[in-house]
């Protein structure tokens, strides 16, 4: 513990000066950004004590559960069905290239062994296992990258300066101590970045808890980001703050919406030049909800993934594991369906970027070099005009069958003639330019 605190103190003293300089990502970081954009698909896992209550990850806030009562859940936390290897195998079979798991959500409970608090799966539960360590090992075995979610806010710690959520948990506002809490977070982040192998990204959440303060709250992000980049230069940093990215951030996150959309009211920020990621739930909740069987259909999920790729973004699809540690059967069914589709059509998604044809109601385009893939998701006619500007088409064929597609030059593009209205989940036309 003393060694860890000394390391953090030394790192932070160095980073205060570094953070004041313009952030310049290292070559390792820039390479990681490119790889992240190539991967296109990840699976999000929200799991913790809240899963035991079957009412989503915000249950402590929503039911105003006292901060001294809520931790009693840990005494019976024993997810006998938890199998990190099974989780990662299912995620890999779905075609996902990385997994993002909650290391510590807003309720403050940690899924890893930490010297900063005994409130974790190893020290506070009869389970006594380090979930993050088991996930890290499984990810390495199966070639899946590990990303770590970390909450900036905490509804249970007295030293966390209260924001606009968690006000009914019984903490005394005057006990807040930002320096203590900031050091706590950095201790945990240092542990996560030194004990669990290569980490693909740190995924922050909770900045918005102080977005309505009369005086702007200083999260001291730049020094924290500099510490992370010093410990693992390739590690990407994303922050689900619903704002334009801050210095030191490597990816931009959009919650429950694709870039440029704001249907959920959380993603009105402008689109940056950073790699983009859209996070969405497989049903209606992030954490497990016993009453939520409103799973999106395979068609909806596949088209969501395709539209994300067409908007030059990754899709991070969330699953809330059950209290006992198993992934819900309906979620597994959906992941399997996505995996089967990706096995056939992944070439048109992985390693591509948003194509030269802008997204339309009928679909999107993805592109790799001179290969342009037209993803037709919602066409109501047997022909489709595709605007290509000055680009000339050398060949056009149906990706699934290899059959040539009849097309005619029309104005500043081409008109594809299908002979019948496309009814596939994604009718893909491959163009060589």
């Amino acid at each position: 513990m003393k060694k860890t605190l000394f390391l953090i103190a030394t790192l932070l003293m160095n980073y205060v000066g570094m953070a004041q300089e313009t952030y310049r990502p290292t070559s390792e970081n820039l390479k990681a950004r490119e790889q992240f954009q190539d991967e296109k698909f990840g699976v999000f896992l929200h799991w913790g004590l809240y899963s035991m209550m079957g009412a989503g990850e915000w249950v402590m806030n929503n039911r105003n559960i006292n901060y001294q009562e809520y931790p009693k859940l840990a005494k019976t936390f024993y997810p006998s069905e938890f199998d990190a290897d099974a989780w990662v195998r299912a995620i890999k079979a779905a075609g996902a290239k990385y997994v993002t798991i909650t290391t510590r959500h807003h309720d403050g409970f940690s899924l890893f062994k930490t010297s900063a608090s005994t409130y974790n799966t190893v020290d506070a539960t009869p389970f006594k296992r380090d979930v993050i360590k088991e996930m890290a090992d499984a990810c390495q075995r199966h070639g899946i990258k590990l990303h770590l979610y970390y909450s900036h806010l905490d509804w249970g710690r007295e030293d966390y300066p209260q924001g606009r959520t968690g006000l009914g948990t019984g903490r005394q506002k005057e006990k807040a101590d930002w320096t203590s809490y900031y050091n706590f977070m950095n201790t945990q982040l240092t542990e996560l970045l030194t004990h669990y192998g290569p980490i693909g990204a740190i995924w922050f959440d909770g900045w918005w808890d102080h977005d309505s303060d009369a005086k702007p709250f200083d999260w001291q992000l730049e020094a924290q980001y500099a510490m992370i980049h010093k410990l693992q230069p390739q590690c990407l940093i994303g922050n689900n703050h619903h704002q334009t990215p801050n210095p030191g951030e490597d990816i931009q996150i959009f919650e429950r919406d694709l870039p440029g959309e704001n249907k959920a009211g959380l993603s009105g920020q402008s689109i940056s030049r950073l790699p983009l990621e859209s996070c969405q739930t497989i049903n209606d909740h992030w954490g497990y909800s016993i009453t939520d069987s409103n799973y999106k259909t395979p068609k909806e999920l596949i088209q969501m993934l395709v539209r994300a790729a067409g908007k030059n973004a990754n899709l991070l699809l969330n699953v809330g594991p059950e209290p006992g540690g198993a992934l819900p059967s309906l979620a597994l069914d959906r992941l399997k369906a996505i995996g089967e589709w990706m096995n056939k059509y992944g070439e048109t998604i992985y390693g591509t970027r948003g194509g030269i044809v802008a997204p339309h109601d009928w679909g999107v385009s993805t592109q790799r070099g001179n290969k342009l893939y037209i993803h037709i998701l919602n066409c109501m006619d047997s022909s489709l005009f595709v605007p290509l500007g000055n680009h000339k088409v050398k060949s056009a064929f149906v990706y699934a069958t290899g059959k040539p597609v009849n097309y005619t030059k029309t104005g500043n593009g081409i008109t594809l003639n299908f002979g019948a209205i496309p009814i596939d989940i994604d009718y893909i036309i491959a163009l060589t330019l």
Side-chain angles (χ1 to χ4, degrees):
M1 175 65 173
K2 290 182 179 179
K3 289 182 179 179
T4 302
L5 290 175
F6 176 76
L7 173 62
I8 294 166
T10 303
L11 291 172
L12 285 176
M13 282 191 291
N14 292 333
Y15 301 152
V16 168
M18 291 172 57
Q20 294 173 352
E21 302 175 2
T22 302
Y23 170 56
R24 294 183 180 179
T26 63
S27 58
E28 300 102 311
N29 189 277
L30 293 174
K31 181 179 179 181
R33 293 184 187 189
E34 286 292 318
Q35 292 173 341
F36 176 79
Q37 288 183 293
D38 288 343
E39 290 160 354
K40 285 295 180 287
F41 181 36
V43 170
F44 211 170
L45 297 171
H46 275 70
W47 197 48
L49 294 184
Y50 46 82
S51 305
M52 299 171 68
M53 301 190 72
E57 77 292 347
W58 273 58
V59 64
M60 185 180 181
N61 172 84
N62 294 344
R63 296 185 182 175
N64 292 322
I65 301 174
N66 185 274
Y67 78 109
Q68 293 177 322
E69 293 298 315
Y70 184 86
K72 294 178 182 178
L73 289 170
K75 295 179 180 180
T76 56
F77 182 81
Y78 196 91
S80 59
E81 296 178 288
F82 170 65
D83 182 343
D85 212 68
W87 283 14
V88 174
R89 286 199 309 269
I91 289 166
K92 184 175 183 177
K97 300 299 184 182
Y98 60 94
V99 57
T100 304
I101 184 170
T102 51
T103 63
R104 171 179 155 272
H105 206 265
H106 309 326
D107 63 349
F109 181 70
S110 298
L111 297 186
F112 62 101
K113 171 70 174 176
T114 172
S115 63
S117 168
T118 58
Y119 192 37
N120 62 75
T121 51
V122 177
D123 296 318
T125 79
F127 193 53
K128 297 191 179 303
R129 286 162 58 181
D130 188 325
V131 171
I132 301 305
K133 180 66 168 65
E134 294 185 30
M135 286 295 294
D137 291 345
C139 284
Q140 288 198 0
R141 282 194 297 272
H142 295 285
I144 295 295
K145 289 185 179 178
L146 178 65
H147 296 193
L148 302 178
Y149 169 108
Y150 190 83
S151 174
H152 265 137
L153 71 89
D154 194 308
W155 294 325
R157 287 185 65 93
E158 291 184 319
D159 57 357
Y160 171 68
Q162 293 184 29
R164 61 178 172 85
T165 67
L167 299 179
T169 63
R171 293 165 298 151
Q172 298 179 44
K173 192 172 184 178
E174 59 272 15
K175 289 189 176 182
D177 183 342
W178 169 247
T179 299
S180 170
Y181 183 71
Y182 188 63
N183 288 337
F184 160 77
M185 288 196 296
N186 289 329
T187 297
Q188 289 205 316
L189 288 166
T190 299
E191 291 171 335
L192 290 169
L193 290 160
T194 54
H195 299 163
Y196 298 91
I199 302 302
I202 296 293
W203 206 100
F204 284 114
D205 193 18
W207 177 95
W208 34 260
D209 198 40
H210 284 278
D211 62 6
S212 57
D213 288 9
K215 179 182 178 181
F217 188 82
D218 183 8
W219 288 97
Q220 297 179 257
L221 293 179
E222 289 191 54
Q224 191 172 71
Y225 291 173
M227 181 189 76
I228 292 169
H229 285 137
K230 182 67 174 179
L231 290 168
Q232 291 202 25
Q234 88 296 338
C235 182
L236 305 176
I237 295 175
N239 195 322
N240 188 37
H241 44 44
H242 312 146
Q243 306 290 314
T244 301
N246 294 310
E249 294 170 9
D250 305 299
I251 60 174
Q252 183 176 9
I253 297 166
F254 296 83
E255 182 176 355
R256 290 190 182 273
D257 269 308
L258 296 176
E261 300 178 1
N262 194 22
K263 298 174 184 176
L266 300 171
S267 299
Q269 69 269 38
S270 59
I271 301 173
S272 73
R273 298 179 66 181
L274 294 177
L276 311 176
E277 181 182 67
S278 174
C279 60
Q280 182 58 273
T281 54
I282 202 166
N283 50 8
D284 290 335
H285 290 77
W286 300 101
Y288 177 73
S289 172
I290 198 169
T291 60
D292 186 2
S293 297
N294 190 31
Y295 281 74
K296 297 172 180 65
T297 65
K299 177 180 179 179
E300 289 173 324
L301 294 170
I302 291 166
Q303 291 194 345
M304 187 186 300
L305 172 57
V306 172
R307 286 192 181 277
K311 292 200 168 192
N312 214 29
N314 290 13
L315 175 66
L316 181 61
L317 181 63
N318 182 79
V319 174
E322 296 173 354
L327 298 181
S329 59
L330 287 175
L332 288 172
D333 289 344
R334 300 303 192 270
L335 292 176
K336 181 181 178 183
I338 296 172
E340 290 173 348
W341 188 89
M342 290 292 273
N343 281 337
K344 295 179 181 178
Y345 304 106
E347 181 186 14
T348 71
I349 302 294
Y350 298 126
T352 65
R353 299 294 183 267
I356 58 173
V357 180
H360 287 72
D361 288 342
W362 54 257
V364 297
S365 70
T366 57
Q367 189 167 353
R368 185 191 303 102
N370 69 338
K371 289 289 186 181
L372 179 66
Y373 302 104
I374 306 299
H375 298 266
I376 301 167
L377 307 173
N378 181 35
C379 184
M380 305 305 292
D381 202 344
S382 59
S383 63
L384 177 70
F385 172 71
V386 179
L388 294 173
N390 296 323
H391 296 276
K392 295 182 179 180
V393 176
K394 295 180 180 179
S395 67
F397 62 89
V398 179
Y399 184 84
T401 64
K403 292 178 60 176
V405 175
N406 178 267
Y407 66 92
T408 55
K409 174 68 177 174
T410 310
N412 65 341
I414 61 171
T415 297
L416 299 170
N417 301 296
F418 310 123
I421 297 175
I423 59 173
D424 295 17
I425 288 176
D426 180 8
Y427 191 68
I428 305 170
I429 304 299
L431 303 180
T432 301
L433 303 179

